[in-house]
Amino acid sequence: MALVGSAPPVVAPVVALDRVSFGYGAVEALKSVDLAVQAGEVLGLCGDNGAGKSTLARIISGAERPSRGSLSIDGAPVTLGGPRDALARGIATIYQNLALAPRLSIAENVFMGAELLRAMPVPGLRLLDKPAMARAARAYLDQLNIDMPAMATPVAELSGGQRQAVAIACALRWQARLIVMDEPTAALGVKETARVLDLIRTLAATGRTVVLVSHNMADIVDVTSRVAILRSGAKVQDRPTEGLTADSLAHLVMTAGTA
Ligand SMILES: Nc1ncnc2c1ncn2[C@@H]1O[C@H](COP(=O)(O)OP(=O)(O)O)[C@@H](O)[C@H]1O
Ligand SMILES: [Mg+2]
């Protein structure tokens, strides 16, 4: 019998944490955290210094494994063996230090660890296909709507916002559908911050899912659709961003979950 009028099919979250705890030795960095990241959303993750935001990002990115609880991707429980495992499942994490090689070019950074090679007339000899990498790197960056110099330019010559874009282009080259960004604007001035927020909007507009870890309330209110707040490793708030201002969010971060 057809189920006329039944509920629409439920789409499993891209990533879900089910009662995840994590300790660094005796330090309990995460305490039984439930969190579901839905496809297409920009989820803000807030909390005071030491609240567990980066630890949560590291769990999603496969850099750490939960001590207790479990992680699911597309509704199926998984144990991630490491960041490569997460990347293979479409989850990329961009840390504040960006892990870029400043002396290498934009194109070399975008293709780090996955260089394109071309066969040579001599059997067995393969050389880097620099023109192909430059073209492809440019294509990824064009998707991000950001001004960029020639692809041969060393990353050291780029602004902070442009460097974030190079890191995002790496994630796109891995075909990431979920990009976790840990404090991407912490070291940036006003103008460069605006650029990075534009990058996040562009990612969302092109169907990617973003988790934005930040203690900048204005940034969170500006680009996220939902916000989760951690306090001392526990999730104390999970709500739509709509209706929040930077001030009211800051107030929530300070008071949510306290008696
Ligand atoms: N490598 C580590 N070794 C020991 N303790 C750590 C380590 N990294 C983080 N912590 C501790 O875990 C808790 C959560 O840290 P973290 O996830 O970095 O918080 P946040 O990113 O919200 O500032 C803090 O008490 C912090 O001191
Ligand atoms: Mg942190």
Side-chain angles (χ1 to χ4, degrees), residues 205-240:
T206 53
R208 278 84 176 206
T209 307
V210 179
V211 174
L212 171 62
V213 175
S214 181
H215 59 244
N216 185 315
M217 304 304 144
D219 292 359
I220 294 274
V221 167
D222 205 348
V223 295
T224 68
S225 44
R226 192 159 62 93
V227 59
I229 300 176
L230 293 178
R231 163 180 296 276
S232 303
K235 190 178 81 174
V236 292
Q237 187 78 228
D238 190 334
R239 56 157 288 165

Side-chain angles (χ1 to χ4, degrees), residues 16-203:
L17 279 69
D18 181 17
R19 284 168 288 168
V20 164
S21 298
F22 182 84
Y24 298 98
V27 180
E28 258 200 302
L30 293 176
K31 299 170 189 162
S32 200
V33 173
D34 286 329
L35 185 73
V37 184
Q38 305 294 344
E41 74 175 341
V42 180
L43 171 68
L45 193 56
C46 311
D48 219 343
N49 262 340
K53 306 180 296 295
S54 293
T55 304
L56 199 156
R58 290 169 61 76
I59 298 259
I60 295 176
S61 66
E64 305 284 4
R65 280 195 210 174
S67 322
R68 286 189 305 284
S70 63
L71 190 70
S72 300
I73 296 180
D74 301 324
V78 290
T79 302
L80 296 175
R84 284 268 174 168
D85 221 3
L87 277 174
R89 293 163 193 270
I91 300 169
T93 301
I94 299 174
Y95 295 101
Q96 198 184 326
N97 62 14
L98 292 185
L100 298 175
R103 295 156 73 115
L104 296 185
S105 72
I106 296 170
E108 286 166 326
N109 272 278
V110 171
F111 279 91
M112 189 126 41
E115 289 81 0
L116 299 181
L117 301 173
R118 69 191 152 104
M120 297 300 287
V122 183
L125 181 62
R126 284 149 66 86
L127 289 184
L128 288 181
D129 193 343
K130 289 192 176 182
M133 288 195 285
R135 276 195 306 274
R138 174 65 75 184
Y140 287 122
L141 288 161
D142 281 350
Q143 291 182 36
L144 296 173
N145 287 323
I146 187 165
D147 287 334
M148 274 288 171
M151 291 297 102
T153 309
V155 159
E157 292 176 21
L158 302 182
S159 71
Q162 288 171 322
R163 289 180 199 209
Q164 283 285 339
V166 172
I168 293 171
C170 292
L172 298 184
R173 203 254 307 138
W174 285 104
Q175 309 201 314
R177 57 204 171 107
L178 168 61
I179 300 181
V180 181
M181 303 175 79
D182 193 356
E183 307 279 4
T185 65
L188 304 182
V190 175
K191 199 170 150 200
E192 290 296 304
T193 293
R195 275 188 172 180
V196 171
L197 298 182
D198 279 341
L199 290 172
I200 293 172
R201 283 191 202 94
T202 302
L203 287 173

